[in-house]
Structures are given as C-alpha cells and as structure tokens.
Amino acid sequence: MNWLEFAMLHADEPRTVHVDGAEVGPCLVSNEVIFCPPDTVAVPGAPVTLPGGRAARVRNAIFMDSCGTGLPEHLQLDIQRLDAGNTGQRNYCHTGRSTAWRNERNA
C-alpha cells in the first residue's frame, strides 16, 4: 500500500497543509502530529498552516519507514500550535529517523 492509498483509507477527505509556504497533501492531521507523504520537506521551526487556517510550527520532522508494520513510508511532523492556550508541553515520538539522516542518505 502506498501513502496515497493509506491516506485515502484513513481520512474522510484529503487534507492539505502548508509547510513553509508549500502545499503538502494528502495528510492525516491530529492534534499535535501530522502524517505527510514521504517526499515532504520540513525542518524544525518551519511555519505550518493547518486546515482551517490555524497556525503552527514544526517541532520535529521524523522520516518513518514501514519496518514491517503495514504502514507506508511517511514523514511525521510533530507540531506546536501557535494559539493562545498552547503550553508547548508534549512527549514526542522518537522511533523514526530524523530528516537529517534522510538528507545525508540522499546526498
């Protein structure tokens, strides 16, 4: 199963976000995590515009390979929403490889 098939299976409709001004999709968007196509480019600190226009920023970008889980390769963006009630406290997933590793691999 590729990313598009997976996203369409788990989302009512395709959702796009804007990361550093570039449109990215289809994505699965939860409260503090966005699952994006594997070719997404995002760096920590990059601005994100969520569906509906809410602002956030990338806290961490992690490339996740399938590792036999049945999930397709994807990029996980841990985000911090920039709305007034956000405390910024969260435990982040560190099970994937950072995008720095992917960039070195592709160099």
Side-chain angles (χ1 to χ4, degrees), residues 22-41:
E23 188 172 284
V24 176
C27 297
L28 301 177
V29 180
S30 74
N31 195 31
E32 295 177 339
V33 178
I34 303 172
F35 301 101
C36 301
D39 60 348
T40 301
V41 176

Side-chain angles (χ1 to χ4, degrees), residues 5 13-14 19-20 43 45 58-59 80 91 96 98 101 106:
E5 294 167 336
E13 63 184 72
V19 178
D20 208 12
V43 296
V58 175
R59 298 271 310 205
Q80 178 182 8
N91 293 324
S98 74
W101 179 88
N106 292 332

